[in-house]
mmCIF file of all heavy atoms in Angstrom:
data_model
loop_
_atom_site.group_PDB
_atom_site.id
_atom_site.type_symbol
_atom_site.label_atom_id
_atom_site.label_comp_id
_atom_site.label_asym_id
_atom_site.label_seq_id
_atom_site.Cartn_x
_atom_site.Cartn_y
_atom_site.Cartn_z
ATOM 1 N N PRO A 1 51.247 88.915 105.781
ATOM 2 C CA PRO A 1 52.610 89.139 106.291
ATOM 3 C C PRO A 1 53.668 89.360 105.212
ATOM 4 O O PRO A 1 54.735 89.896 105.503
ATOM 5 C CB PRO A 1 52.901 87.865 107.085
ATOM 6 C CG PRO A 1 51.984 86.832 106.523
ATOM 7 C CD PRO A 1 50.750 87.572 106.118
ATOM 8 N N VAL A 2 53.368 88.960 103.988
ATOM 9 C CA VAL A 2 54.359 89.090 102.909
ATOM 10 C C VAL A 2 53.916 90.096 101.851
ATOM 11 O O VAL A 2 54.727 90.614 101.090
ATOM 12 C CB VAL A 2 54.627 87.700 102.278
ATOM 13 C CG1 VAL A 2 55.551 87.797 101.073
ATOM 14 C CG2 VAL A 2 55.240 86.761 103.315
ATOM 15 N N HIS A 3 52.644 90.423 101.823
ATOM 16 C CA HIS A 3 52.095 91.242 100.743
ATOM 17 C C HIS A 3 52.686 92.647 100.722
ATOM 18 O O HIS A 3 52.869 93.291 101.763
ATOM 19 C CB HIS A 3 50.572 91.345 100.894
ATOM 20 C CG HIS A 3 49.920 92.173 99.838
ATOM 21 N ND1 HIS A 3 49.105 93.231 100.107
ATOM 22 C CD2 HIS A 3 49.991 92.103 98.476
ATOM 23 C CE1 HIS A 3 48.678 93.779 98.982
ATOM 24 N NE2 HIS A 3 49.204 93.111 97.978
ATOM 25 N N VAL A 4 53.014 93.118 99.518
ATOM 26 C CA VAL A 4 53.434 94.498 99.265
ATOM 27 C C VAL A 4 52.527 95.030 98.156
ATOM 28 O O VAL A 4 52.343 94.364 97.139
ATOM 29 C CB VAL A 4 54.915 94.574 98.823
ATOM 30 C CG1 VAL A 4 55.298 96.013 98.476
ATOM 31 C CG2 VAL A 4 55.824 94.019 99.915
ATOM 32 N N GLU A 5 51.972 96.205 98.363
ATOM 33 C CA GLU A 5 51.074 96.783 97.359
ATOM 34 C C GLU A 5 51.812 96.972 96.033
ATOM 35 O O GLU A 5 52.986 97.337 96.001
ATOM 36 C CB GLU A 5 50.541 98.140 97.817
ATOM 37 C CG GLU A 5 49.430 98.048 98.848
ATOM 38 C CD GLU A 5 48.151 97.473 98.274
ATOM 39 O OE1 GLU A 5 47.944 97.541 97.044
ATOM 40 O OE2 GLU A 5 47.359 96.922 99.067
ATOM 41 N N LYS A 6 51.087 96.722 94.936
ATOM 42 C CA LYS A 6 51.696 96.930 93.633
ATOM 43 C C LYS A 6 51.383 98.326 93.112
ATOM 44 O O LYS A 6 50.468 98.997 93.592
ATOM 45 C CB LYS A 6 51.213 95.874 92.636
ATOM 46 C CG LYS A 6 49.735 95.883 92.308
ATOM 47 C CD LYS A 6 49.420 94.732 91.354
ATOM 48 C CE LYS A 6 47.932 94.606 91.096
ATOM 49 N NZ LYS A 6 47.620 93.440 90.251
ATOM 50 N N LEU A 7 52.166 98.741 92.147
ATOM 51 C CA LEU A 7 51.977 100.040 91.519
ATOM 52 C C LEU A 7 50.679 100.039 90.731
ATOM 53 O O LEU A 7 50.421 99.130 89.949
ATOM 54 C CB LEU A 7 53.154 100.338 90.586
ATOM 55 C CG LEU A 7 53.113 101.648 89.801
ATOM 56 C CD1 LEU A 7 53.217 102.836 90.739
ATOM 57 C CD2 LEU A 7 54.259 101.686 88.789
ATOM 58 N N ARG A 8 49.852 101.043 90.969
ATOM 59 C CA ARG A 8 48.595 101.149 90.241
ATOM 60 C C ARG A 8 48.418 102.564 89.727
ATOM 61 O O ARG A 8 48.761 103.536 90.396
ATOM 62 C CB ARG A 8 47.397 100.805 91.141
ATOM 63 C CG ARG A 8 47.330 99.362 91.610
ATOM 64 C CD ARG A 8 45.981 99.073 92.236
ATOM 65 N NE ARG A 8 45.902 97.699 92.712
ATOM 66 C CZ ARG A 8 46.019 97.345 93.983
ATOM 67 N NH1 ARG A 8 46.220 98.257 94.909
ATOM 68 N NH2 ARG A 8 45.922 96.085 94.326
ATOM 69 N N LEU A 9 47.843 102.655 88.541
ATOM 70 C CA LEU A 9 47.419 103.931 88.000
ATOM 71 C C LEU A 9 46.050 104.270 88.564
ATOM 72 O O LEU A 9 45.322 103.390 89.020
ATOM 73 C CB LEU A 9 47.312 103.847 86.478
ATOM 74 C CG LEU A 9 48.572 103.472 85.696
ATOM 75 C CD1 LEU A 9 48.196 103.169 84.242
ATOM 76 C CD2 LEU A 9 49.604 104.571 85.764
ATOM 77 N N SER A 10 45.702 105.531 88.534
ATOM 78 C CA SER A 10 44.306 105.861 88.799
ATOM 79 C C SER A 10 43.477 105.321 87.636
ATOM 80 O O SER A 10 43.998 105.075 86.535
ATOM 81 C CB SER A 10 44.117 107.371 88.925
ATOM 82 O OG SER A 10 44.272 107.996 87.657
ATOM 83 N N ALA A 11 42.192 105.118 87.868
ATOM 84 C CA ALA A 11 41.334 104.621 86.795
ATOM 85 C C ALA A 11 41.374 105.560 85.597
ATOM 86 O O ALA A 11 41.396 105.116 84.445
ATOM 87 C CB ALA A 11 39.911 104.444 87.304
ATOM 88 N N ALA A 12 41.404 106.858 85.870
ATOM 89 C CA ALA A 12 41.455 107.833 84.772
ATOM 90 C C ALA A 12 42.742 107.677 83.972
ATOM 91 O O ALA A 12 42.731 107.712 82.737
ATOM 92 C CB ALA A 12 41.340 109.253 85.324
ATOM 93 N N GLU A 13 43.872 107.491 84.680
ATOM 94 C CA GLU A 13 45.154 107.310 83.992
ATOM 95 C C GLU A 13 45.149 106.013 83.188
ATOM 96 O O GLU A 13 45.663 105.961 82.063
ATOM 97 C CB GLU A 13 46.289 107.286 85.008
ATOM 98 C CG GLU A 13 46.559 108.628 85.659
ATOM 99 C CD GLU A 13 47.542 108.512 86.808
ATOM 100 O OE1 GLU A 13 47.544 107.467 87.513
ATOM 101 O OE2 GLU A 13 48.314 109.471 87.026
ATOM 102 N N GLY A 14 44.582 104.949 83.765
ATOM 103 C CA GLY A 14 44.558 103.664 83.079
ATOM 104 C C GLY A 14 43.715 103.699 81.817
ATOM 105 O O GLY A 14 44.108 103.164 80.779
ATOM 106 N N ILE A 15 42.558 104.336 81.908
ATOM 107 C CA ILE A 15 41.698 104.459 80.730
ATOM 108 C C ILE A 15 42.409 105.282 79.659
ATOM 109 O O ILE A 15 42.402 104.939 78.480
ATOM 110 C CB ILE A 15 40.347 105.087 81.120
ATOM 111 C CG1 ILE A 15 39.536 104.096 81.966
ATOM 112 C CG2 ILE A 15 39.554 105.512 79.883
ATOM 113 C CD1 ILE A 15 38.314 104.689 82.633
ATOM 114 N N GLY A 16 43.052 106.360 80.095
ATOM 115 C CA GLY A 16 43.785 107.185 79.145
ATOM 116 C C GLY A 16 44.924 106.441 78.486
ATOM 117 O O GLY A 16 45.116 106.518 77.266
ATOM 118 N N LEU A 17 45.688 105.666 79.295
ATOM 119 C CA LEU A 17 46.818 104.919 78.737
ATOM 120 C C LEU A 17 46.335 103.824 77.789
ATOM 121 O O LEU A 17 46.948 103.596 76.739
ATOM 122 C CB LEU A 17 47.657 104.315 79.861
ATOM 123 C CG LEU A 17 48.867 103.479 79.430
ATOM 124 C CD1 LEU A 17 49.796 104.274 78.523
ATOM 125 C CD2 LEU A 17 49.621 102.964 80.656
ATOM 126 N N ALA A 18 45.244 103.157 78.132
ATOM 127 C CA ALA A 18 44.704 102.112 77.255
ATOM 128 C C ALA A 18 44.417 102.672 75.867
ATOM 129 O O ALA A 18 44.707 102.035 74.843
ATOM 130 C CB ALA A 18 43.433 101.522 77.861
ATOM 131 N N LYS A 19 43.879 103.873 75.821
ATOM 132 C CA LYS A 19 43.589 104.524 74.543
ATOM 133 C C LYS A 19 44.871 105.002 73.863
ATOM 134 O O LYS A 19 45.027 104.865 72.639
ATOM 135 C CB LYS A 19 42.648 105.700 74.762
ATOM 136 C CG LYS A 19 41.266 105.327 75.266
ATOM 137 C CD LYS A 19 40.459 106.591 75.522
ATOM 138 C CE LYS A 19 39.079 106.293 76.039
ATOM 139 N NZ LYS A 19 38.299 107.527 76.290
ATOM 140 N N GLU A 20 45.790 105.567 74.646
ATOM 141 C CA GLU A 20 47.041 106.070 74.073
ATOM 142 C C GLU A 20 47.887 104.947 73.480
ATOM 143 O O GLU A 20 48.708 105.182 72.577
ATOM 144 C CB GLU A 20 47.829 106.821 75.140
ATOM 145 C CG GLU A 20 47.192 108.154 75.534
ATOM 146 C CD GLU A 20 47.752 108.713 76.826
ATOM 147 O OE1 GLU A 20 48.719 108.127 77.365
ATOM 148 O OE2 GLU A 20 47.217 109.728 77.311
ATOM 149 N N LEU A 21 47.687 103.730 73.989
ATOM 150 C CA LEU A 21 48.373 102.570 73.415
ATOM 151 C C LEU A 21 47.747 102.151 72.087
ATOM 152 O O LEU A 21 48.194 101.187 71.462
ATOM 153 C CB LEU A 21 48.341 101.394 74.400
ATOM 154 C CG LEU A 21 49.208 101.545 75.653
ATOM 155 C CD1 LEU A 21 48.887 100.440 76.653
ATOM 156 C CD2 LEU A 21 50.694 101.531 75.301
ATOM 157 N N GLY A 22 46.722 102.872 71.673
ATOM 158 C CA GLY A 22 46.052 102.566 70.422
ATOM 159 C C GLY A 22 44.929 101.572 70.562
ATOM 160 O O GLY A 22 44.357 101.132 69.554
ATOM 161 N N GLY A 23 44.592 101.205 71.809
ATOM 162 C CA GLY A 23 43.581 100.184 72.030
ATOM 163 C C GLY A 23 42.252 100.739 72.488
ATOM 164 O O GLY A 23 42.075 101.954 72.637
ATOM 165 N N VAL A 24 41.325 99.819 72.718
ATOM 166 C CA VAL A 24 40.014 100.133 73.264
ATOM 167 C C VAL A 24 40.068 99.932 74.772
ATOM 168 O O VAL A 24 40.525 98.886 75.244
ATOM 169 C CB VAL A 24 38.931 99.217 72.662
ATOM 170 C CG1 VAL A 24 37.565 99.576 73.209
ATOM 171 C CG2 VAL A 24 38.944 99.300 71.143
ATOM 172 N N ALA A 25 39.626 100.922 75.540
ATOM 173 C CA ALA A 25 39.655 100.854 77.003
ATOM 174 C C ALA A 25 38.422 100.101 77.499
ATOM 175 O O ALA A 25 37.297 100.588 77.396
ATOM 176 C CB ALA A 25 39.702 102.247 77.595
ATOM 177 N N VAL A 26 38.652 98.897 78.051
ATOM 178 C CA VAL A 26 37.570 98.003 78.471
ATOM 179 C C VAL A 26 37.754 97.657 79.947
ATOM 180 O O VAL A 26 38.846 97.273 80.369
ATOM 181 C CB VAL A 26 37.580 96.711 77.630
ATOM 182 C CG1 VAL A 26 36.590 95.682 78.171
ATOM 183 C CG2 VAL A 26 37.278 97.019 76.168
#
């Protein structure tokens, strides 16, 4: 009754951003 979906990237976007942040995508 209270839940609102949170903002999510696609898995492809998340993996890409993890790398673009200079990190290892795990």
Side-chain angles (χ1 to χ4, degrees):
V2 175
H3 180 234
V4 176
E5 283 292 337
K6 64 183 174 184
L7 178 66
R8 294 192 181 102
L9 301 169
S10 71
E13 290 171 327
I15 290 169
L17 179 56
K19 295 177 181 180
E20 290 165 6
L21 290 170
V24 181
V26 172

